[in-house]
Amino acid sequence: MKFHGVLFFPVTPFAADGSLDEERLAQHIDNGVAAGAGGVFVACGTGEFHALTSQEIERATRIAVETTAGRVPVLAAAGGPTPVARDQAVRVERAGADGILLLPPYLVTAPQEGLVRYVEDVTAATELPVVFYQRGTARLTEATAARLAALPNVVGLKDGLGDVERMHRIVRAVRAVPGGQDFQFFNGLPTAEMTAPAYRGIGVGLYSSAVFAFAPEIAQAFHRALTDGDEALVNTLLDEFYAPLVTLRDEVPGYAVALVKAGVTLRGLDVGGVRAPLIDPTPEHVARLAKLIDHGLEVVAA
């Protein structure tokens, strides 16, 4: 399972009664695949994994699998307490996914040996390829990362810490292990485009794009410019679109998700609001987001 291009992390639409809106989820995913997504990661961080039941994760995964119809790989999340993560892994496999994004253990600071055991215990419940998400309290040393990379169905590591020096050491350690050249690394920071040039410098070219969920034209144009070495367009988008977006995102905790859902709705697909403990953007913030999107689209259309 090899990824290329921009990775799509769809939001999870909710109906007026708060339930999973299956029809809009299918439409959202189909729109993303049609826009050129290199892979679909459903019910993950942008998809409010933290607020979904295991049954909803399974159903969302099945919808993604049916909608993509084999056009691109589909991964879904599992994580939290070990028994819960194992159950979710089983459900994701049963729903037909191509792989799993394994989130960290729940609110616990564990020793390195414990993190290895966690991954071993969860991956033992499934035959699917697994990408481990390093974030929060799950901070790997390069030695631990190399051990995880050697596990039979661990195929990738997504970084949500933003410690580039640590990641550089991890990449070098894994690449030095026999078979490590095929291991895949992902930049999983919020608004990952802001750090994509730095991560490319240490050999991490893949990244998750929240912007792709509501403005695939901008996300694709940035990715092409980065790949082709068009520094002028990269810098223009960073300065005039992505940096102001990050400023807005950082004004309220949880806006890394809530603004994305608002953006999807602004672009014509009403996906509802976010579930607690997140809150929806204020009208003022939505208006600022709308202006940013309009300007970003003007930049890439020029």
Side-chain angles (χ1 to χ4, degrees):
M1 182 174 58
K2 281 290 185 181
F3 292 98
H4 305 280
V6 180
L7 304 181
F8 174 32
F9 284 65
V11 301
T12 300
F14 299 125
D17 63 359
S19 63
L20 177 66
D21 192 326
E22 299 184 2
E23 182 177 345
R24 281 189 168 87
L25 176 60
Q27 185 176 350
H28 180 43
I29 292 172
D30 191 54
N31 290 346
V33 175
V40 173
F41 288 67
V42 68
C44 294
T46 305
E48 297 180 76
F49 167 83
H50 66 276
L52 301 176
T53 67
S54 294
Q55 292 83 358
E56 287 174 326
I57 292 171
E58 181 176 0
R59 185 59 191 151
T61 305
R62 192 173 300 279
I63 291 168
V65 170
E66 293 172 352
T67 302
T68 58
R71 289 175 289 172
V72 295
V74 172
L75 282 78
T82 303
V84 174
R86 285 174 57 88
D87 175 64
Q88 291 167 343
V90 170
R91 289 174 177 273
V92 166
E93 183 171 7
R94 184 168 63 202
D98 298 296
I100 294 169
L101 179 64
L102 178 57
L103 278 67
Y106 175 72
L107 286 180
V108 60
T109 301
Q112 296 295 299
E113 189 64 36
L115 292 173
V116 173
R117 181 180 173 186
Y118 174 74
V119 177
E120 288 175 336
D121 286 352
V122 177
T123 56
T126 178
E127 295 182 359
L128 290 179
V130 171
V131 175
F132 182 67
Y133 198 172
Q134 172 180 246
R135 62 178 297 177
T137 57
R139 306 174 68 89
L140 306 178
T141 65
E142 59 264 42
T144 300
R147 288 181 63 188
L148 294 185
L151 295 176
N153 51 342
V154 177
V155 301
L157 173 65
K158 184 181 180 186
D159 180 54
L161 296 179
D163 185 338
V164 176
E165 191 270 337
R166 176 191 293 264
M167 258 318 268
H168 193 194
R169 287 189 279 111
I170 286 174
V171 170
R172 290 172 61 85
V174 171
R175 293 286 185 247
V177 174
Q181 292 301 314
D182 293 329
F183 197 78
Q184 298 184 90
F185 294 97
F186 306 77
N187 172 1
L189 292 175
T191 319
E193 284 90 347
M194 286 298 298
T195 53
Y199 273 77
R200 283 178 67 88
I202 62 170
V204 181
L206 294 169
Y207 60 87
S208 54
S209 175
V211 168
F212 185 90
F214 62 86
E217 306 96 325
I218 299 173
Q220 290 283 45
F222 179 88
H223 185 268
R224 286 193 300 269
L226 187 64
T227 302
D228 296 342
D230 185 350
E231 293 187 10
L233 181 53
V234 167
N235 290 332
T236 298
L237 286 173
L238 289 177
D239 291 341
E240 299 183 13
F241 174 76
Y242 286 103
L245 178 64
V246 169
T247 298
L248 177 58
R249 181 201 74 197
D250 289 347
E251 290 188 23
V252 178
Y255 265 17
V257 173
L259 283 177
V260 177
K261 293 197 88 167
V264 176
T265 296
L266 281 170
R267 296 302 304 283
L269 181 64
D270 186 354
V271 291
V274 292
R275 284 180 177 171
L278 303 185
I279 62 171
D280 294 315
T282 65
E284 176 197 354
H285 289 161
V286 172
R288 285 170 58 187
L289 176 63
K291 289 182 179 179
L292 276 175
I293 294 172
D294 287 344
H295 181 64
L297 291 172
E298 290 174 359
V299 170
V300 300

